[in-house]
Amino acid sequence: HAKEINPRNTNAEYLYNELAKRNIPAVIMEPLLGGRLSNLHDHVVARLKQAEPDRSVASWAFRYAGTHPDVLTVLSGMTYMEHLEDNLRTYAPFKPLTNEEMDFLYTTADLMMQYPTIPCNDCKYCMPCPYGIDIPSILLHYNKCVNEGNIPEGHDGEEYRKARRAFLVGYDRSVPRLRQASHCIGCNQCGPHCPQSIDIPSELHRIDAFVENLKQNA
Ligand code: SF4
Ligand code: SF4
C-alpha cells in the first residue's frame, strides 16, 4: 500500500530486492512508521490480539521486519523502558512469521486502509507554523478518534452524543484553543515540508469544518 498512502513512497519490496541482488544487508528504520503501526483502529487491535493475545500490537511490525532473511537490523526509537522490554521479548528469542501469519498481516493491512486516518507520523517537520497552529497534535487527535470510533455520524442518538463529546473534549485537551485548526489561514508554508505529502491546509480546514458542525449540533 506504499503508493496508496503516499505517491512519493517507493515500494519496500522493490528496495529490499535491489539490496539483496547486490548482497547488501538491509537496515530497517521506522519499523512502526513513526508509531502509526502501534496506534491502530480498535477493530484491527482486536484482530491482532485475538491471533496473539500475549504479544503487543507493535511486536507484529517488528516481527514482519525481522522475518526477512537479508535484514541486518531493525532500528527503533524507544522512549519508555516498557518499549525496550517489549522489543527484547520480540527478538529474544525471535520467532519469524509463518506464511499464514504473513497472509494474515496482508489482510490486516487491507483492513487498515479502510479507515480514513491521515498518514501523519508526528515527525514535526512541518513545524513551527508561523501562526502557532499545532499541526501534528490536531492530526493525531483526529486519527485517535477515527481509531477509537469517535467520529460521530448522523446528528442524533446516544452514540452520537458520546462520540461528539469525546471528540470535542479530547480536542480541547490535546490542542490549546489558540493553536487549533480554526486559526489556520491556509498560507501553506507548512505543506512543502511534509514528507508524507499531506495537504495540511485542506486537512486542517476539513477538521475545522467537522468541529464547527459538531459544536452547532449540540
Ligand atoms: S497553512 Fe495553516 S498550518 Fe500551515 S503554516 Fe499556514 S497557517 Fe500554519
Ligand atoms: S510534517 Fe507531515 S507527517 Fe510530519 S508532523 Fe507534519 S503533518 Fe505530520
Side-chain angles (χ1 to χ4, degrees):
H1 297 293
K3 290 273 178 208
E4 285 166 66
I5 291 171
N6 178 356
R8 278 165 46 190
N9 279 343
T10 303
N11 190 327
E13 187 178 18
Y14 165 79
L15 293 172
Y16 175 81
N17 287 335
E18 289 301 306
L19 289 175
K21 265 193 239 163
R22 295 163 176 79
N23 289 322
I24 300 171
V27 175
I28 309 295
M29 294 174 70
E30 297 276 12
L32 290 180
L33 275 179
R36 270 162 58 210
L37 293 181
S38 57
N39 292 312
L40 302 172
H41 191 283
D42 285 357
H43 289 166
V44 180
V45 171
R47 179 181 159 85
L48 296 174
K49 279 287 178 191
Q50 194 184 21
E52 285 277 8
D54 296 332
R55 287 187 187 271
S56 66
V57 170
S59 72
W60 283 97
F62 286 106
R63 284 177 72 211
Y64 178 80
T67 295
H68 295 77
D70 289 312
V71 167
L72 174 69
T73 191
V74 179
L75 303 173
S76 178
M78 291 170 273
T79 315
Y80 301 109
M81 182 58 88
E82 64 185 280
H83 296 159
L84 176 63
E85 289 170 351
D86 187 43
N87 292 349
L88 288 172
R89 271 194 299 275
T90 302
Y91 281 123
F94 180 61
K95 192 172 151 231
L97 294 174
T98 61
N99 288 342
E100 289 74 32
E101 286 173 326
M102 278 285 185
D103 289 344
F104 170 76
L105 281 191
Y106 287 126
T107 314
T108 306
D110 289 340
L111 181 66
M112 282 162 59
M113 291 302 290
Q114 293 172 16
Y115 296 111
T117 50
I118 301 162
C120 172
N121 59 16
D122 199 19
C123 68
K124 299 184 174 50
Y125 292 157
C126 55
M127 296 290 279
C129 155
Y131 296 89
I133 313 300
D134 188 346
I135 303 164
S137 296
I138 297 167
L139 302 185
L140 294 183
H141 172 67
Y142 181 81
N143 283 351
K144 184 167 178 283
C145 288
V146 171
N147 286 336
E148 292 174 355
N150 284 329
I151 297 293
E153 283 170 7
H155 294 117
D156 218 349
E158 192 47 38
E159 284 300 304
Y160 172 82
R161 275 191 288 280
K162 250 174 68 187
R164 174 185 175 276
R165 186 176 153 71
F167 191 101
L168 291 178
V169 171
Y171 190 39
D172 281 343
R173 282 195 189 137
S174 314
V175 192
R177 287 262 164 109
L178 283 174
R179 308 194 68 193
Q180 293 184 356
S182 56
H183 296 278
C184 168
I185 63 152
C187 66
N188 199 31
Q189 287 194 47
C190 50
H193 299 288
C194 178
Q196 302 302 320
S197 303
I198 297 169
D199 185 346
I200 297 172
S202 313
E203 292 292 7
L204 292 182
H205 288 157
R206 183 173 69 84
I207 293 171
D208 183 44
F210 178 71
V211 169
E212 278 311 308
N213 200 19
L214 287 184
K215 284 181 180 166
Q216 279 164 25
N217 284 311

PDB file of all heavy atoms in Angstrom, residues 28 30-33 37-38 48 56-67 74 90-91 97 105:
ATOM      1  N   ILE A  28      16.549  -1.535   8.704  1.00  0.00           N
ATOM      2  CA  ILE A  28      15.172  -1.014   8.704  1.00  0.00           C
ATOM      3  C   ILE A  28      15.050   0.134   9.699  1.00  0.00           C
ATOM      4  O   ILE A  28      15.312  -0.034  10.892  1.00  0.00           O
ATOM      5  CB  ILE A  28      14.171  -2.121   9.096  1.00  0.00           C
ATOM      6  CG1 ILE A  28      14.370  -3.380   8.263  1.00  0.00           C
ATOM      7  CG2 ILE A  28      12.738  -1.606   8.995  1.00  0.00           C
ATOM      8  CD1 ILE A  28      14.097  -3.236   6.803  1.00  0.00           C
ATOM      9  N   GLU A  30      12.399   3.162  11.246  1.00  0.00           N
ATOM     10  CA  GLU A  30      10.962   3.433  11.452  1.00  0.00           C
ATOM     11  C   GLU A  30      10.104   2.190  11.218  1.00  0.00           C
ATOM     12  O   GLU A  30       9.160   2.226  10.418  1.00  0.00           O
ATOM     13  CB  GLU A  30      10.488   4.562  10.518  1.00  0.00           C
ATOM     14  CG  GLU A  30      11.152   5.890  10.767  1.00  0.00           C
ATOM     15  CD  GLU A  30      10.498   6.684  11.879  1.00  0.00           C
ATOM     16  OE1 GLU A  30       9.672   6.112  12.613  1.00  0.00           O
ATOM     17  OE2 GLU A  30      10.822   7.861  12.016  1.00  0.00           O
ATOM     18  N   PRO A  31      10.415   1.079  11.893  1.00  0.00           N
ATOM     19  CA  PRO A  31       9.601  -0.120  11.664  1.00  0.00           C
ATOM     20  C   PRO A  31       8.144   0.072  12.082  1.00  0.00           C
ATOM     21  O   PRO A  31       7.268  -0.655  11.618  1.00  0.00           O
ATOM     22  CB  PRO A  31      10.283  -1.185  12.542  1.00  0.00           C
ATOM     23  CG  PRO A  31      11.040  -0.405  13.563  1.00  0.00           C
ATOM     24  CD  PRO A  31      11.463   0.865  12.903  1.00  0.00           C
ATOM     25  N   LEU A  32       7.882   1.068  12.945  1.00  0.00           N
ATOM     26  CA  LEU A  32       6.490   1.316  13.367  1.00  0.00           C
ATOM     27  C   LEU A  32       5.898   2.513  12.640  1.00  0.00           C
ATOM     28  O   LEU A  32       4.860   3.032  13.055  1.00  0.00           O
ATOM     29  CB  LEU A  32       6.444   1.579  14.881  1.00  0.00           C
ATOM     30  CG  LEU A  32       6.729   0.394  15.789  1.00  0.00           C
ATOM     31  CD1 LEU A  32       6.653   0.812  17.248  1.00  0.00           C
ATOM     32  CD2 LEU A  32       5.743  -0.733  15.525  1.00  0.00           C
ATOM     33  N   LEU A  33       6.530   2.966  11.556  1.00  0.00           N
ATOM     34  CA  LEU A  33       6.035   4.134  10.808  1.00  0.00           C
ATOM     35  C   LEU A  33       5.760   5.301  11.752  1.00  0.00           C
ATOM     36  O   LEU A  33       4.660   5.858  11.771  1.00  0.00           O
ATOM     37  CB  LEU A  33       4.743   3.788  10.072  1.00  0.00           C
ATOM     38  CG  LEU A  33       4.842   3.146   8.700  1.00  0.00           C
ATOM     39  CD1 LEU A  33       3.437   2.875   8.160  1.00  0.00           C
ATOM     40  CD2 LEU A  33       5.585   4.058   7.728  1.00  0.00           C
ATOM     41  N   LEU A  37       1.964   2.275  13.366  1.00  0.00           N
ATOM     42  CA  LEU A  37       1.604   0.852  13.375  1.00  0.00           C
ATOM     43  C   LEU A  37       1.341   0.323  14.785  1.00  0.00           C
ATOM     44  O   LEU A  37       0.999  -0.847  14.953  1.00  0.00           O
ATOM     45  CB  LEU A  37       2.702   0.021  12.690  1.00  0.00           C
ATOM     46  CG  LEU A  37       2.849   0.273  11.190  1.00  0.00           C
ATOM     47  CD1 LEU A  37       3.929  -0.613  10.599  1.00  0.00           C
ATOM     48  CD2 LEU A  37       1.530   0.047  10.464  1.00  0.00           C
ATOM     49  N   SER A  38       1.517   1.172  15.788  1.00  0.00           N
ATOM     50  CA  SER A  38       1.122   0.715  17.132  1.00  0.00           C
ATOM     51  C   SER A  38      -0.138   1.444  17.598  1.00  0.00           C
ATOM     52  O   SER A  38      -0.673   1.156  18.661  1.00  0.00           O
ATOM     53  CB  SER A  38       2.260   0.909  18.137  1.00  0.00           C
ATOM     54  OG  SER A  38       2.645   2.252  18.171  1.00  0.00           O
ATOM     55  N   LEU A  48      -5.537  -8.437  15.964  1.00  0.00           N
ATOM     56  CA  LEU A  48      -4.163  -8.852  16.265  1.00  0.00           C
ATOM     57  C   LEU A  48      -4.094  -9.535  17.635  1.00  0.00           C
ATOM     58  O   LEU A  48      -3.380 -10.520  17.822  1.00  0.00           O
ATOM     59  CB  LEU A  48      -3.215  -7.643  16.223  1.00  0.00           C
ATOM     60  CG  LEU A  48      -3.060  -6.968  14.854  1.00  0.00           C
ATOM     61  CD1 LEU A  48      -2.215  -5.705  14.962  1.00  0.00           C
ATOM     62  CD2 LEU A  48      -2.432  -7.917  13.836  1.00  0.00           C
ATOM     63  N   SER A  56       2.350  -7.788  22.002  1.00  0.00           N
ATOM     64  CA  SER A  56       1.883  -6.412  21.803  1.00  0.00           C
ATOM     65  C   SER A  56       1.537  -6.195  20.332  1.00  0.00           C
ATOM     66  O   SER A  56       1.978  -6.961  19.454  1.00  0.00           O
ATOM     67  CB  SER A  56       2.984  -5.424  22.209  1.00  0.00           C
ATOM     68  OG  SER A  56       4.062  -5.563  21.309  1.00  0.00           O
ATOM     69  N   VAL A  57       0.774  -5.151  20.070  1.00  0.00           N
ATOM     70  CA  VAL A  57       0.445  -4.790  18.685  1.00  0.00           C
ATOM     71  C   VAL A  57       1.735  -4.463  17.920  1.00  0.00           C
ATOM     72  O   VAL A  57       1.951  -4.903  16.796  1.00  0.00           O
ATOM     73  CB  VAL A  57      -0.527  -3.585  18.690  1.00  0.00           C
ATOM     74  CG1 VAL A  57      -0.703  -3.013  17.303  1.00  0.00           C
ATOM     75  CG2 VAL A  57      -1.876  -4.023  19.255  1.00  0.00           C
ATOM     76  N   ALA A  58       2.638  -3.727  18.579  1.00  0.00           N
ATOM     77  CA  ALA A  58       3.888  -3.319  17.918  1.00  0.00           C
ATOM     78  C   ALA A  58       4.734  -4.525  17.513  1.00  0.00           C
ATOM     79  O   ALA A  58       5.441  -4.480  16.501  1.00  0.00           O
ATOM     80  CB  ALA A  58       4.689  -2.405  18.853  1.00  0.00           C
ATOM     81  N   SER A  59       4.649  -5.605  18.278  1.00  0.00           N
ATOM     82  CA  SER A  59       5.530  -6.748  18.005  1.00  0.00           C
ATOM     83  C   SER A  59       5.297  -7.322  16.612  1.00  0.00           C
ATOM     84  O   SER A  59       6.200  -7.878  15.995  1.00  0.00           O
ATOM     85  CB  SER A  59       5.337  -7.840  19.065  1.00  0.00           C
ATOM     86  OG  SER A  59       4.086  -8.482  18.871  1.00  0.00           O
ATOM     87  N   TRP A  60       4.070  -7.174  16.079  1.00  0.00           N
ATOM     88  CA  TRP A  60       3.797  -7.690  14.725  1.00  0.00           C
ATOM     89  C   TRP A  60       4.657  -6.962  13.695  1.00  0.00           C
ATOM     90  O   TRP A  60       5.194  -7.586  12.767  1.00  0.00           O
ATOM     91  CB  TRP A  60       2.319  -7.511  14.381  1.00  0.00           C
ATOM     92  CG  TRP A  60       1.422  -8.507  15.033  1.00  0.00           C
ATOM     93  CD1 TRP A  60       0.711  -8.338  16.182  1.00  0.00           C
ATOM     94  CD2 TRP A  60       1.136  -9.843  14.586  1.00  0.00           C
ATOM     95  NE1 TRP A  60       0.003  -9.475  16.476  1.00  0.00           N
ATOM     96  CE2 TRP A  60       0.234 -10.410  15.521  1.00  0.00           C
ATOM     97  CE3 TRP A  60       1.550 -10.609  13.498  1.00  0.00           C
ATOM     98  CZ2 TRP A  60      -0.260 -11.710  15.382  1.00  0.00           C
ATOM     99  CZ3 TRP A  60       1.061 -11.901  13.359  1.00  0.00           C
ATOM    100  CH2 TRP A  60       0.169 -12.439  14.292  1.00  0.00           C
ATOM    101  N   ALA A  61       4.788  -5.650  13.850  1.00  0.00           N
ATOM    102  CA  ALA A  61       5.596  -4.889  12.887  1.00  0.00           C
ATOM    103  C   ALA A  61       7.069  -5.282  12.998  1.00  0.00           C
ATOM    104  O   ALA A  61       7.771  -5.433  11.990  1.00  0.00           O
ATOM    105  CB  ALA A  61       5.424  -3.388  13.149  1.00  0.00           C
ATOM    106  N   PHE A  62       7.537  -5.466  14.225  1.00  0.00           N
ATOM    107  CA  PHE A  62       8.946  -5.854  14.418  1.00  0.00           C
ATOM    108  C   PHE A  62       9.203  -7.243  13.850  1.00  0.00           C
ATOM    109  O   PHE A  62      10.245  -7.495  13.241  1.00  0.00           O
ATOM    110  CB  PHE A  62       9.318  -5.798  15.898  1.00  0.00           C
ATOM    111  CG  PHE A  62       9.463  -4.398  16.402  1.00  0.00           C
ATOM    112  CD1 PHE A  62       8.510  -3.820  17.212  1.00  0.00           C
ATOM    113  CD2 PHE A  62      10.568  -3.631  16.044  1.00  0.00           C
ATOM    114  CE1 PHE A  62       8.638  -2.519  17.668  1.00  0.00           C
ATOM    115  CE2 PHE A  62      10.705  -2.327  16.492  1.00  0.00           C
ATOM    116  CZ  PHE A  62       9.741  -1.765  17.307  1.00  0.00           C
ATOM    117  N   ARG A  63       8.255  -8.139  14.060  1.00  0.00           N
ATOM    118  CA  ARG A  63       8.452  -9.493  13.532  1.00  0.00           C
ATOM    119  C   ARG A  63       8.392  -9.472  12.008  1.00  0.00           C
ATOM    120  O   ARG A  63       9.141 -10.183  11.338  1.00  0.00           O
ATOM    121  CB  ARG A  63       7.384 -10.443  14.092  1.00  0.00           C
ATOM    122  CG  ARG A  63       7.670 -10.833  15.538  1.00  0.00           C
ATOM    123  CD  ARG A  63       6.575 -11.713  16.076  1.00  0.00           C
ATOM    124  NE  ARG A  63       6.585 -13.052  15.508  1.00  0.00           N
ATOM    125  CZ  ARG A  63       5.479 -13.783  15.325  1.00  0.00           C
ATOM    126  NH1 ARG A  63       4.296 -13.302  15.656  1.00  0.00           N
ATOM    127  NH2 ARG A  63       5.565 -14.993  14.820  1.00  0.00           N
ATOM    128  N   TYR A  64       7.513  -8.645  11.449  1.00  0.00           N
ATOM    129  CA  TYR A  64       7.434  -8.543   9.980  1.00  0.00           C
ATOM    130  C   TYR A  64       8.795  -8.112   9.414  1.00  0.00           C
ATOM    131  O   TYR A  64       9.328  -8.725   8.489  1.00  0.00           O
ATOM    132  CB  TYR A  64       6.343  -7.550   9.567  1.00  0.00           C
ATOM    133  CG  TYR A  64       6.265  -7.383   8.069  1.00  0.00           C
ATOM    134  CD1 TYR A  64       5.602  -8.316   7.282  1.00  0.00           C
ATOM    135  CD2 TYR A  64       6.912  -6.318   7.439  1.00  0.00           C
ATOM    136  CE1 TYR A  64       5.566  -8.198   5.904  1.00  0.00           C
ATOM    137  CE2 TYR A  64       6.878  -6.187   6.057  1.00  0.00           C
ATOM    138  CZ  TYR A  64       6.204  -7.129   5.306  1.00  0.00           C
ATOM    139  OH  TYR A  64       6.189  -7.013   3.940  1.00  0.00           O
ATOM    140  N   ALA A  65       9.356  -7.055  10.010  1.00  0.00           N
ATOM    141  CA  ALA A  65      10.645  -6.548   9.511  1.00  0.00           C
ATOM    142  C   ALA A  65      11.740  -7.592   9.703  1.00  0.00           C
ATOM    143  O   ALA A  65      12.560  -7.825   8.812  1.00  0.00           O
ATOM    144  CB  ALA A  65      11.000  -5.245  10.235  1.00  0.00           C
ATOM    145  N   GLY A  66      11.743  -8.253  10.867  1.00  0.00           N
ATOM    146  CA  GLY A  66      12.833  -9.176  11.187  1.00  0.00           C
ATOM    147  C   GLY A  66      12.749 -10.499  10.454  1.00  0.00           C
ATOM    148  O   GLY A  66      13.748 -11.224  10.369  1.00  0.00           O
ATOM    149  N   THR A  67      11.612 -10.840   9.906  1.00  0.00           N
ATOM    150  CA  THR A  67      11.452 -12.141   9.252  1.00  0.00           C
ATOM    151  C   THR A  67      12.228 -12.221   7.936  1.00  0.00           C
ATOM    152  O   THR A  67      12.613 -13.295   7.498  1.00  0.00           O
ATOM    153  CB  THR A  67       9.936 -12.417   9.023  1.00  0.00           C
ATOM    154  OG1 THR A  67       9.323 -12.529  10.309  1.00  0.00           O
ATOM    155  CG2 THR A  67       9.695 -13.680   8.237  1.00  0.00           C
ATOM    156  N   VAL A  74      17.057  -3.867  12.875  1.00  0.00           N
ATOM    157  CA  VAL A  74      15.853  -3.036  12.870  1.00  0.00           C
ATOM    158  C   VAL A  74      16.063  -1.958  13.934  1.00  0.00           C
ATOM    159  O   VAL A  74      16.291  -2.285  15.097  1.00  0.00           O
ATOM    160  CB  VAL A  74      14.613  -3.896  13.211  1.00  0.00           C
ATOM    161  CG1 VAL A  74      13.358  -3.043  13.241  1.00  0.00           C
ATOM    162  CG2 VAL A  74      14.456  -5.037  12.212  1.00  0.00           C
ATOM    163  N   THR A  90      10.362  -9.584  21.863  1.00  0.00           N
ATOM    164  CA  THR A  90      10.054  -9.931  20.470  1.00  0.00           C
ATOM    165  C   THR A  90      11.256 -10.586  19.787  1.00  0.00           C
ATOM    166  O   THR A  90      11.099 -11.512  18.998  1.00  0.00           O
ATOM    167  CB  THR A  90       9.647  -8.668  19.686  1.00  0.00           C
ATOM    168  OG1 THR A  90       8.520  -8.089  20.328  1.00  0.00           O
ATOM    169  CG2 THR A  90       9.296  -8.977  18.240  1.00  0.00           C
ATOM    170  N   TYR A  91      12.447 -10.087  20.094  1.00  0.00           N
ATOM    171  CA  TYR A  91      13.623 -10.558  19.348  1.00  0.00           C
ATOM    172  C   TYR A  91      14.454 -11.610  20.077  1.00  0.00           C
ATOM    173  O   TYR A  91      15.376 -12.165  19.497  1.00  0.00           O
ATOM    174  CB  TYR A  91      14.509  -9.359  18.983  1.00  0.00           C
ATOM    175  CG  TYR A  91      13.968  -8.596  17.792  1.00  0.00           C
ATOM    176  CD1 TYR A  91      13.681  -7.240  17.874  1.00  0.00           C
ATOM    177  CD2 TYR A  91      13.745  -9.243  16.577  1.00  0.00           C
ATOM    178  CE1 TYR A  91      13.183  -6.549  16.780  1.00  0.00           C
ATOM    179  CE2 TYR A  91      13.242  -8.564  15.487  1.00  0.00           C
ATOM    180  CZ  TYR A  91      12.961  -7.227  15.590  1.00  0.00           C
ATOM    181  OH  TYR A  91      12.468  -6.553  14.516  1.00  0.00           O
ATOM    182  N   LEU A  97       7.771 -14.858  11.250  1.00  0.00           N
ATOM    183  CA  LEU A  97       6.374 -15.059  10.861  1.00  0.00           C
ATOM    184  C   LEU A  97       6.267 -16.268   9.943  1.00  0.00           C
ATOM    185  O   LEU A  97       7.125 -16.478   9.076  1.00  0.00           O
ATOM    186  CB  LEU A  97       5.857 -13.828  10.116  1.00  0.00           C
ATOM    187  CG  LEU A  97       5.735 -12.527  10.917  1.00  0.00           C
ATOM    188  CD1 LEU A  97       5.356 -11.381   9.978  1.00  0.00           C
ATOM    189  CD2 LEU A  97       4.710 -12.653  12.022  1.00  0.00           C
ATOM    190  N   LEU A 105      -1.245 -10.783   8.018  1.00  0.00           N
ATOM    191  CA  LEU A 105      -0.864  -9.360   8.085  1.00  0.00           C
ATOM    192  C   LEU A 105      -1.250  -8.607   6.810  1.00  0.00           C
ATOM    193  O   LEU A 105      -1.663  -7.451   6.872  1.00  0.00           O
ATOM    194  CB  LEU A 105       0.651  -9.215   8.309  1.00  0.00           C
ATOM    195  CG  LEU A 105       1.142  -9.413   9.738  1.00  0.00           C
ATOM    196  CD1 LEU A 105       2.587  -8.982   9.867  1.00  0.00           C
ATOM    197  CD2 LEU A 105       0.297  -8.641  10.743  1.00  0.00           C
TER     198      LEU A 105
END
